Amino acid sequence: VDGLGPAIVHQLLNAGLVQSFADLYTLEEGQLAKLERMGKRSAKNLVNALEASKSRDLSRLLFALGIRGIGQRSAQLLAQRFGEMDGVMSATAEEIAGIEGYGEIMAQSVVDFFALEQNRRLIERLKELGLTGKDIDGILITHEHADHIQGLGVMARKYEIPIYATGGTIRAIKECRGLGSIDGDLFHEVKEDVKFTLKDLTVNPMRISHDAAQPVAYRIAYGSRKVAVCTDLGTYNDYTVECLKGMDALLLEANHDVNMLQVGPYPYYLKQRILGERGHLSNENTGRLLCRLLHDKLKAVLLGHLSKENNLPELAFESVRMEINMGGTPYKAGDFDIRVARRSELTPVVEIA
């Protein structure tokens, strides 16, 4: 990319504006103009150069990914053989090794690269570069654990998006050094069961039981339509049920299969933490909670926050359905649109008419 030299890259990394090269495509002229030796004209030229780079051929992108052992010529051969990124990502080592000039080691290097979840997510981000942080009016934080706030620092610095969280969570976030500096004015404190408005949405936080500073889940209403996002809770009670009743759509945690967790690789203390009342809901407990929330107008249920090591999408889906079918309610699982929010895939948009 013309104008993007090592000095600029170092400045972008040090300022926390990028974490991967996909972040380059979300940069704005105003942000770049603040960098050392980068005036308005240079910033505009760099943004234009980045935009132009989106239309370059597949071989250039494959080379830029830095796959071990894959140079420019190897990238060209790979692009010629498969034609598009999805084809490269799904190719087997045997198929790649069949390309003239490739051997088993190079072929396995490509397969290993795209087998890593973070690399697949990077490619998905590159496919979605049409959306930017400009489309976001606020970030709702449930709690301060790393898997929930890892990208918060970059998003906040780059787009100055308001951040909504409880007082305890805000204090814990500010103690997380890995996030870098975040403008304190971006934080907005929320309280459990106290509604607030975010543009045309009404947001109502609710208490959850989890081993964090002051965790919450969120209920969100638009007119008469209501949805809830409720994950990271070790148990539920009558308060939880009352908070989640009458929703048009629900995203509920189905974190683990108890048997997989018990025989899995986690150390004993971590297993006990997950199984405890401030841990995570199992598939079965999610199904039991859902049985108390079913109603005629429930449009969709998403099962989320699945453990990579201690659950399977198919197992979560079938376990929850079984609890519904055996739950003694007037409903059967087939009466509802139940889906699994997979870890490494984008979930299709759920529309509520």
Side-chain angles (χ1 to χ4, degrees):
V1 177
D2 292 338
L4 186 65
I8 299 298
V9 172
H10 284 305
Q11 287 191 68
L12 292 171
L13 289 169
N14 291 336
L17 293 174
V18 298
Q19 287 185 328
S20 71
F21 70 80
D23 294 328
L24 292 170
Y25 294 95
T26 65
L27 293 170
E28 299 175 357
E29 290 181 28
Q31 296 168 322
L32 292 169
K34 296 177 183 178
L35 299 178
E36 184 179 349
R37 297 182 181 179
M38 177 70 75
K40 291 184 179 180
R41 178 176 294 181
S42 297
K44 183 177 181 178
N45 290 339
L46 180 51
V47 169
N48 290 338
L50 286 165
E51 187 65 27
S53 73
K54 293 181 182 180
S55 61
R56 298 212 172 107
D57 60 42
L58 176 60
S59 66
R60 295 283 293 273
L61 174 57
L62 289 169
F63 176 63
L65 288 174
I67 304 172
R68 192 175 204 178
I70 304 303
Q72 289 182 322
R73 179 55 182 160
S74 302
Q76 289 173 353
L77 293 171
L78 201 57
Q80 289 171 5
R81 169 63 176 82
F82 295 102
E84 58 183 20
M85 181 60 78
D86 288 342
V88 178
M89 293 174 67
S90 60
T92 65
E94 290 76 16
E95 290 173 327
I96 298 172
I99 301 173
E100 185 178 354
Y102 270 76
E104 293 182 3
I105 295 177
M106 290 174 62
Q108 192 60 50
S109 178
V110 175
V111 171
D112 290 345
F113 179 88
F114 289 111
L116 293 176
E117 185 174 336
Q118 62 265 33
N119 293 336
R120 299 184 72 87
R121 287 182 177 177
L122 176 61
I123 300 302
E124 289 302 319
R125 283 205 62 206
L126 289 170
K127 291 179 180 179
E128 295 170 3
L129 288 171
L131 289 176
T132 74
K134 295 177 182 178
D135 303 302
I136 302 174
D137 295 314
I139 301 174
L140 305 179
I141 301 296
T142 58
H143 62 292
E144 73 279 5
H145 288 171
D147 56 328
H148 290 258
I149 64 169
Q150 195 167 37
L152 182 62
V154 171
M155 290 290 290
R157 286 187 292 273
K158 187 174 295 185
Y159 299 111
E160 298 183 342
I161 304 171
I163 301 166
Y164 297 85
T166 61
T169 298
I170 291 173
R171 289 189 290 273
I173 289 174
K174 290 180 177 179
E175 294 175 0
C176 295
R177 297 181 180 178
L179 294 179
S181 62
I182 299 177
D183 185 349
D185 291 337
L186 294 177
F187 288 104
H188 298 265
E189 183 176 345
V190 304
K191 296 182 179 180
E192 299 92 335
D193 300 307
V194 177
K195 297 178 182 179
F196 65 95
T197 57
L198 181 54
K199 286 296 182 74
D200 50 1
L201 302 178
T202 299
V203 184
N204 194 359
M206 58 177 280
R207 297 191 306 272
I208 56 174
S209 178
H210 195 52
D211 57 349
Q214 192 182 354
V216 290
Y218 288 102
R219 296 159 286 176
I220 303 169
Y222 174 74
S224 62
R225 301 304 185 190
K226 297 182 293 183
V227 302
V229 177
C230 189
T231 68
D232 297 79
L233 61 165
T235 188
Y236 63 88
N237 53 26
D238 291 341
Y239 165 82
T240 313
V241 173
E242 287 302 315
C243 286
L244 297 176
K245 278 184 175 179
M247 296 293 155
D248 293 286
L250 288 163
L251 189 153
L252 292 178
E253 170 177 66
N255 179 257
H256 60 275
D257 173 77
V258 173
N259 184 61
M260 284 185 68
L261 174 63
Q262 289 176 334
V263 301
Y266 280 7
Y268 177 77
Y269 80 89
L270 185 53
K271 293 179 180 179
Q272 294 303 109
R273 176 227 162 204
I274 293 171
L275 292 169
E277 291 194 350
R278 300 184 69 206
H280 294 276
L281 283 186
S282 67
N283 296 334
E284 291 76 14
N285 281 338
T286 300
R288 292 164 191 153
L289 170 58
L290 188 54
C291 283
R292 299 180 63 179
L293 303 175
L294 299 175
H295 62 92
D296 292 343
K297 296 183 179 181
L298 180 62
K299 302 291 193 306
V301 176
L302 292 175
L303 306 177
H305 211 290
L306 274 67
S307 169
K308 181 179 179 181
E309 292 80 10
N310 304 306
N311 212 347
L312 296 169
E314 298 79 10
L315 185 55
F317 180 74
E318 293 300 337
S319 297
V320 169
R321 286 174 56 87
M322 182 177 295
E323 290 295 332
I324 295 173
N325 289 333
M326 300 176 63
T329 74
Y331 303 103
K332 295 299 181 183
D335 297 333
F336 302 95
D337 180 6
I338 302 175
R339 315 180 195 180
V340 176
R342 295 173 180 263
R343 293 174 54 89
S344 57
E345 299 176 13
L346 295 175
T347 302
V349 173
V350 176
E351 295 188 6
I352 302 172

